[in-house]
Amino acid sequence: MTAGPLLAIQGLSKSFGGLQAVRDFDLDVPERSIVGLIGPNGSGKTTVLNLVTGEIAADGGSVRLDGREILGRPAFRVCRARIARTFQLVRVLPGMTTRENVLIGRLFGSAPATPEHARKEIDALLDRVGLSDLADQTGAQLTYIDQKRVELARALATQPRLLLLDEWLAGLNPRELQIGIELIRRIRDEGMTIVMIEHVMEAIRALCDHVVVMSAGGLIAAGAPDSVLNDPEVARVYLGDDDA
Amino acid sequence: MILFEVVLSGVLVGGMYGLIALGLNLQYGIARMMNLAYGEALMGGAYTAFWFFMLWRIDPLASMLFSVPVAFCGNWLIYRYLLSPLIRRAANQEILEADTILVTFGLLFVFQGLALVQWGGEYRGYTYLAVPIDLLGATVALNRLMAFVAAVVLALALYWLLRSTRLGGALRAIAIDPVAAQLVAVDVPRLSALAFAAGGAIMAAAGTLVSMFLSFNASIGIVYTLKALIVVIMGGVGRMLGCLMAGLLLGLAEALGAYLVDPGLTLAINFALFLLVLLVRPQGLFSRG
Amino acid sequence: MAEKPASRWWIAPAAAGVAFLAGLPLLLSAYTVSLLISVLAYASLATSWAFFSGTTRYISLATAAFVGIGTYTVALLSDHLPLAVVLAIAHMIGFVIALGVGLSTLRLSGIYFVIFTFGLTELIKQLVIWFEINQTKTLARYIFVNASGTLIYELLLATATIVIAGVWWLSRSRVGYALRVIGEDEMVARHSGIDTTRVKVLVFAATSAVMSMVGAVLSLRYTYVDPNIAFNSLVSFQVLIMALLGGIGRPWGPALGAVPLVLLSELLSGTFPHHFGIALGICFVVIVFFLPGGVMGLVDRWSAWLPRSALRRRKES
Ligand SMILES: Nc1ncnc2c1ncn2[C@@H]1O[C@H](COP(=O)(O)OP(=O)(O)O)[C@@H](O)[C@H]1O
Ligand SMILES: [Mg+2]
C-alpha cells in the first residue's frame, strides 16, 4: 500500500432541484486519523456522508477508498468495502433486541458470518460499548444514549476500516460526553479511521487531528482544530453575525 | 381515417380515465388514503343507473342525483368511522398505509359480495342513446360522446374548483404538506374527509357514465381501481392536470393497442405503460423534479 | 448455547406428528380428507405469504395470481406430461413471473409493489382469457388427471411440511434476519451490507413459486376450470387474513390461522357462496377496528407475546 490517504474525496457535488447541497467538495482522510467535519445546519455535512455511503447518487466527483473508486456503488457494497456509518437521527430497529441489532452488522457486513459464529464476538462488542446489561431489551425500550451506543456497535460489527459518525455525540449530558469521547478515542487507538460530523467543540478539540468546515455546500476552512476553531471566518459562519 | 377513429375512441375513453384518476387523487393525493375499494363506487353508480333505467325508465344522467349523494355520504362515513381512527393510532406513515390498504381491501370484498348476492355475477348493460353520430368523418355512438362530454365537464369543474377557489387552495395545500397546512389554520381532518367523500362521489358519477356504453358486472370495481391507480402514478400523486393528461394518454394507448394488437389485451397494455413509467420516471410522467 | 439442544427437542415429536398426519386418510372419511386438503393448502399459502410479506411488510395481494398460474399449468399440460413434470413446471412459471414482478417493483417504494400485485391477478386472468379465446375458442378446461383424494392430501402434506420447516429454518438463518431488518428499517439494512433488492426479489419469487405449486396440486381436485374460478382475488384476501390471525412472528402461526377460516369457508360456501366474501370482509374490518395497534401492529404484538425464553432461543440459535 502506498502512503496515500485511506479516503480521498475530490470534486464531490450534489444538488437537490435548485439547491446546491454539496459543491466541489475535497477531503483527504489519512489512515488512523480522526477528521472532524463541522459547519452550520444545512451546510451539507450529512449529504456528504450520504454520497460517500451510496445512500444517494452524486452529480459528479470521485470518492476513493485506498485508491479504489467507490462512488456509484450501492450502499450495501460500500458497507462491504468496509465503510460503516451512524445516522444523525438514530436508527435502531425497534422490534429487535440490542444483541440482534448489533448482530446484523456482523451477519452482513464486510466479513459475513452465520448467526452461530457471530455470537461470541457480538457479546464482546456489546461489552466494549457498555451494552451488556441491555442485550435482551428491544430497540424500542432503550434510552436515547443507549440507542446511540447500539448504532455505534452495529457499525463496528460490520468490521469497517473507516467509520463515519453523524453527530454521534449530540444530545449527551456532560458525563456521557466524556464516556463517548473516551470510547471514540479508544476505537481510533485500535486502528480505526474516523470522520465525525460534530457540533460539540469540546469533542472536536479533544479528538480531531484535522478539521474541515463546510458552509452552504462548500469547504471554507481546513486545518488543525485550534487554528480552525479560532478562525474569525468560521465563527462568523457559525454565529451568523453577518448581514446574510 | 381508421386511425382517426381509433384516436378518437381513445380520447373518448381517456376523458373517463382522467375523471376517475382525479377522484382517486382526491382520496390518495389529498386525503392520503390508498383506497382499494375505490372502484366499488363506480360499480354502485353503474348498477344504480342500470336499475333506474330498466325498472322506471329514468334517464341515467338523472340517476346521478341519487347515486352521487349516496356515494358521497357512504365514502364520508367510511373515512370518518373506519379510516380516520386508523390515522389517530398509527405510529407512522408506513403503518397507516399498510392498515388502510388492508382495510380497504376487505371493504372491496364486502361491496363486491353484496353486489353478487343482490344481482349475481353476470354482465349487465342497457341501450341508451345508441345513435351513430358523424364526428369529423368518423362515426361514434352518441352515448360515448355524451359520457365523454359529461366526464370532461365534471373534470374541468373539479379542476377549476381546486385551482381557483379558497376551498381548492386549502385542499391543494393539504396535498402538498398536511402539517404545514394545519399550521396555516386549514382544517385538515374535515377537508380530508370532504376530499375523500368527493372522490367516491366522482367515481359513482363515472360509473353512471361508463354504464351508458359499456357492460359491467359485480366484480368490475377492481379493474377501474387499478386503472385509476395507474393513471395517478403516471400523472403524479396530487397533480390534477397531470392526471387528466395521463388519463388521455392511457385511453389512447389502450385504443391503439386494441387496434394494432388485440382488444383482449387492454389490461396488459395498462400494465405495460405502468411498468414503463416505473422504469423511466417513478415520480410520475407529468410531475416536475 | 445451553439452549441449543433444547431448541431441537421437538423435532422427533414433530416428525411423529407428520407421520401420523400422513396415515390419517386411512382412518378418515373422504369428506374429512377433502377438508384437510384445504387446510393443508391454505396453511402452505399463508406460511409462504407471511414469510415474505409479513416479515418485510411489502404486502403482496397477488396470492390468487400465483395459485391460478399453478391451476392453469395443470389444466394446459396435464394431458401431455407426467404429473411430476407438470408440478415442477408450475413451480418454475410461478418463480419466473414473480421474479419479473419483483425486479420491476421491489427496487422502488412499497406502494408500487402493492398496486402491481393488486392488479396482477386480474392481468393474468385477462391474458389467459385472451389466450384461450384465440387458441381454443372456449374458456372451459377439463382436468383428467387420475388423482385420488389421498394422493392430493399426501402431496399437500409434503408441501406444507417442507414449507413450514423451510420457513422455520430460514427464519433463523441470515436470510431470515435480512428480511426482518428490511421490514424494520430498510435504510439500516442497506447500510449494514444487506443486498436488499436481491433478498426481496428472491424470497418473493421463491414463496410465489410455492403458491403456484399449491395451486397446481389443488387443481387436481377439479374436473373443470375456467379463468374466473382459477383466478379468484378472494383467495389473496383469505390467505392474508389467515396469516395475520394466526400470527406472523412464529413459523407455525399462519398455518394455524388457516384452520378456522377453512372451516368458516366450508360452512358458508355450500349454501351462500357470495356471503363468504362479505363475512370475511366484515370480520376483518371489525378486527382491525378493535385492534389498538392496527393490523401491522398485530405482527408486533404476536412477537411480543412470545415467551421470553422462546425469543432468546430464536435470537441465539
Ligand atoms: N434528500 C434530500 N432532498 C432534498 N433536499 C435535501 C435532501 N437532503 C438534504 N437536503 C438539503 O440539503 C441541504 C444540506 O442538508 P444536510 O446535508 O442534511 O445538512 P447538514 O447535515 O450539514 O445539517 C439542506 O438544505 C437540506 O434541506
Ligand atoms: Mg446533518
Side-chain angles (χ1 to χ4, degrees):
Chain A
M1 206 194 78
T2 55
L6 178 64
L7 182 78
I9 302 176
Q10 267 158 19
L12 193 62
S13 297
K14 176 72 187 180
S15 47
F16 297 109
L19 175 85
Q20 181 95 39
V22 175
R23 71 164 63 105
D24 208 14
F25 181 80
D26 297 336
L27 179 68
D28 279 356
V29 183
E31 188 138 29
R32 289 171 179 255
S33 66
I34 298 183
V35 171
L37 180 53
I38 67 173
N41 279 326
S43 58
K45 306 178 300 291
T46 298
T47 305
V48 168
L49 234 64
N50 285 337
L51 292 168
V52 171
T53 56
E55 177 57 29
I56 53 181
D59 297 338
S62 123
V63 176
R64 280 196 296 261
L65 182 75
D66 225 0
R68 247 175 308 136
E69 183 63 58
I70 57 164
L71 202 61
R73 289 194 195 178
F76 76 93
R77 284 204 191 289
V78 173
C79 171
R80 291 180 192 174
R82 304 186 67 182
I83 298 181
R85 70 173 290 180
T86 65
F87 299 93
Q88 182 173 353
L89 301 169
V90 228
R91 300 185 90 104
V92 162
L93 309 177
M96 287 183 154
T97 63
T98 300
R99 186 181 279 122
E100 286 175 318
N101 261 286
V102 177
L103 178 64
I104 61 159
R106 184 68 184 84
L107 292 184
F108 305 100
S110 51
T114 59
E116 292 83 32
H117 286 111
R119 210 190 102 84
K120 223 178 277 162
E121 275 170 55
I122 296 308
D123 283 346
L125 190 52
L126 288 178
D127 196 36
R128 188 161 150 210
V129 296
L131 284 170
S132 295
D133 295 341
L134 303 169
D136 292 322
Q137 306 230 334
T138 63
Q141 295 170 318
L142 296 176
T143 60
Y144 182 67
I145 161 94
D146 289 330
Q147 292 192 343
K148 294 210 136 191
R149 285 189 170 131
V150 168
E151 261 206 337
L152 180 63
R154 184 174 63 213
L156 290 175
T158 66
Q159 305 193 332
R161 296 176 66 189
L162 175 67
L163 183 62
L164 309 173
L165 302 175
D166 197 347
E167 301 192 22
W168 191 76
L169 292 166
L172 305 191
N173 67 35
R175 212 180 65 81
E176 292 166 343
L177 184 64
Q178 288 315 315
I179 298 174
I181 290 176
E182 257 335 288
L183 185 57
I184 294 177
R185 196 198 311 274
R186 212 155 15 104
I187 292 169
R188 192 265 312 267
D189 290 346
E190 287 163 18
M192 188 73 69
T193 311
I194 298 171
V195 174
M196 52 190 287
I197 296 176
E198 204 49 73
H199 286 307
V200 185
M201 293 309 156
E202 186 189 342
I204 292 171
R205 284 208 169 85
L207 290 169
C208 295
D209 306 302
H210 187 80
V211 174
V212 295
V213 188
M214 283 184 84
S215 174
L219 220 162
I220 57 159
D226 282 329
S227 67
V228 167
L229 295 181
N230 294 331
D231 184 337
E233 168 73 3
V234 173
R236 191 184 63 81
V237 165
Y238 249 100
L239 302 172
D241 60 358
D242 60 340
D243 53 353
Chain B
M1 214 56 238
I2 293 257
L3 196 66
F4 176 66
E5 281 194 10
V6 170
V7 169
L8 188 64
S9 83
V11 170
L12 293 186
V13 180
M16 192 66 63
Y17 292 162
L19 180 66
I20 65 175
L22 274 190
L24 186 71
N25 229 337
L26 289 177
Q27 293 197 338
Y28 185 55
I30 294 174
R32 307 219 170 219
M33 288 291 169
M34 169 61 76
N35 177 12
L36 295 183
Y38 178 58
E40 307 316 305
L42 180 141
M43 186 262 290
Y47 271 110
T48 308
F50 174 79
W51 287 114
F52 276 38
F53 188 78
M54 297 309 276
L55 295 176
W56 303 304
R57 294 283 139 194
I58 292 175
D59 190 278
L61 291 176
S63 80
M64 282 194 212
L65 291 176
F66 175 78
S67 60
V68 169
V70 169
F72 185 91
C73 296
N75 276 273
W76 188 83
L77 290 172
I78 289 174
Y79 183 85
R80 182 66 190 72
Y81 291 103
L82 283 179
L83 301 180
S84 65
L86 302 179
I87 305 179
R88 262 176 263 126
R89 71 184 190 196
N92 60 44
Q93 190 59 34
E94 239 173 77
I95 289 180
L96 176 63
E97 201 151 68
D99 274 358
T100 50
I101 285 168
L102 295 176
V103 167
T104 56
F105 196 47
L107 282 178
L108 182 170
F109 292 103
V110 173
F111 289 123
Q112 189 175 309
L114 287 173
L116 278 169
V117 167
Q118 209 57 41
W119 301 307
E122 63 265 39
Y123 274 86
R124 311 275 189 170
Y126 54 91
T127 323
Y128 173 73
L129 297 182
V131 191
I133 292 278
D134 187 76
L135 199 70
L136 305 170
T139 320
V140 285
L142 182 56
N143 51 25
R144 268 177 192 266
L145 201 60
M146 275 288 282
F148 173 75
V149 171
V152 170
V153 167
L154 271 175
L156 290 180
L158 187 65
Y159 184 71
W160 171 82
L161 189 128
L162 286 169
R163 223 52 232 187
S164 319
T165 65
R166 263 182 67 91
L167 176 66
L171 288 173
R172 281 187 296 130
I174 300 177
I176 293 163
D177 186 345
V179 179
Q182 188 92 51
L183 291 179
V184 293
V186 172
D187 187 347
V188 175
R190 234 173 67 104
L191 290 186
S192 296
L194 179 73
F196 191 88
I202 284 171
M203 201 55 169
T208 313
L209 300 178
V210 165
S211 75
M212 294 182 348
F213 62 94
L214 284 178
S215 60
F216 58 90
N217 71 358
S219 25
I220 202 73
I222 292 184
V223 177
Y224 284 94
T225 306
L226 197 61
K227 284 182 198 262
L229 283 169
I230 291 177
V231 173
V232 167
I233 296 293
M234 287 195 330
V237 176
R239 310 198 70 87
M240 300 299 162
L241 204 57
C243 277
L244 286 178
M245 295 200 293
L248 283 178
L249 188 68
L250 184 71
L252 276 175
E254 274 188 7
L256 284 175
Y259 171 64
L260 297 173
V261 193
D262 193 299
L265 292 178
T266 47
L267 206 57
I269 291 162
N270 285 203
F271 266 81
L273 214 56
F274 182 41
L275 270 182
L276 203 69
V277 173
L278 289 192
L279 294 178
V280 186
R281 275 182 79 87
Q283 73 275 39
L285 281 181
F286 300 99
S287 62
R288 279 176 243 119
Chain C
M1 298 222 143
E3 288 113 320
K4 207 147 187 212
S7 72
R8 304 272 164 106
W9 63 267
W10 50 268
I11 286 185
V18 172
F20 172 72
L21 287 175
L24 268 187
L26 299 174
L27 309 173
L28 299 174
S29 69
Y31 173 73
T32 319
V33 170
S34 98
L35 258 187
L36 288 178
I37 286 177
S38 299
V39 171
L40 288 172
Y42 278 104
S44 312
L45 293 175
T47 308
S48 306
W49 184 88
F51 186 56
F52 178 75
S53 289
T55 358
T56 62
R57 308 193 182 188
Y58 278 82
I59 301 166
S60 162
L61 304 177
T63 308
F66 293 106
V67 170
I69 286 169
T71 307
Y72 251 84
T73 311
V74 171
L76 291 176
L77 300 179
S78 61
D79 285 349
H80 314 291
L81 294 168
L83 184 58
V85 178
V86 176
L87 295 183
I89 293 177
H91 196 92
M92 258 166 46
I93 297 179
F95 187 87
V96 170
I97 290 181
L99 209 58
V101 172
L103 279 174
S104 43
T105 56
L106 282 174
R107 292 173 300 123
L108 306 164
S109 114
I111 203 68
Y112 299 126
F113 179 73
V114 171
I115 295 174
F116 207 99
T117 56
F118 175 65
L120 191 66
T121 313
E122 196 65 31
L123 170 70
I124 296 182
K125 178 162 87 179
Q126 286 207 4
L127 288 176
V128 169
I129 291 174
W130 171 79
F131 172 81
E132 294 283 55
I133 285 176
N134 284 303
Q135 283 310 111
T136 56
K137 315 263 183 268
T138 161
L139 288 181
R141 283 269 171 186
Y142 296 90
I143 297 176
F144 299 114
V145 180
N146 207 349
S148 65
T150 308
L151 174 65
I152 300 173
Y153 173 89
E154 301 295 355
L155 280 172
L156 285 171
L157 179 64
T159 310
T161 309
I162 293 171
V163 167
I164 294 171
V167 161
W168 173 81
W169 181 72
L170 278 175
S171 61
R172 48 198 61 209
S173 73
R174 296 174 69 226
V175 175
Y177 275 101
L179 292 174
R180 280 175 67 204
V181 182
I182 290 170
E184 297 239 353
D185 188 334
E186 208 159 334
M187 188 161 168
V188 169
R190 286 196 294 273
H191 290 279
S192 305
I194 298 174
D195 187 347
T196 49
T197 303
R198 198 175 123 115
V199 174
K200 283 186 289 183
V201 170
L202 285 180
V203 174
F204 177 61
T207 52
S208 302
V210 169
M211 293 170 181
S212 290
M213 174 83 177
V214 171
V217 177
L218 216 44
S219 74
L220 301 175
R221 291 216 268 201
Y222 311 140
T223 46
Y224 167 89
V225 284
D226 67 38
N228 290 311
I229 296 175
F231 297 94
N232 178 1
S233 287
L234 192 57
V235 171
S236 306
F237 186 50
Q238 234 174 306
V239 165
L240 185 157
I241 299 179
M242 288 168 179
L244 292 174
L245 273 188
I248 279 167
R250 24 181 198 183
W252 36 269
L256 279 191
V259 178
L261 279 167
V262 166
L263 294 179
L264 177 68
S265 148
E266 180 62 25
L267 210 66
L268 287 176
S269 64
T271 24
F272 312 103
H274 301 317
H275 290 77
F276 180 54
I278 305 178
L280 212 56
I282 291 177
C283 283
F284 185 66
V285 171
V286 168
I287 291 172
V288 171
F289 200 71
F290 288 105
L291 273 180
V295 196
M296 280 298 156
L298 191 61
V299 177
D300 300 330
R301 269 148 54 101
W302 275 118
S303 32
W305 283 343
L306 287 176
R308 286 222 63 83
S309 63
L311 252 183
R312 211 163 289 145
R313 215 175 294 139
R314 184 176 59 181
K315 150 186 75 229
E316 286 175 0
S317 57

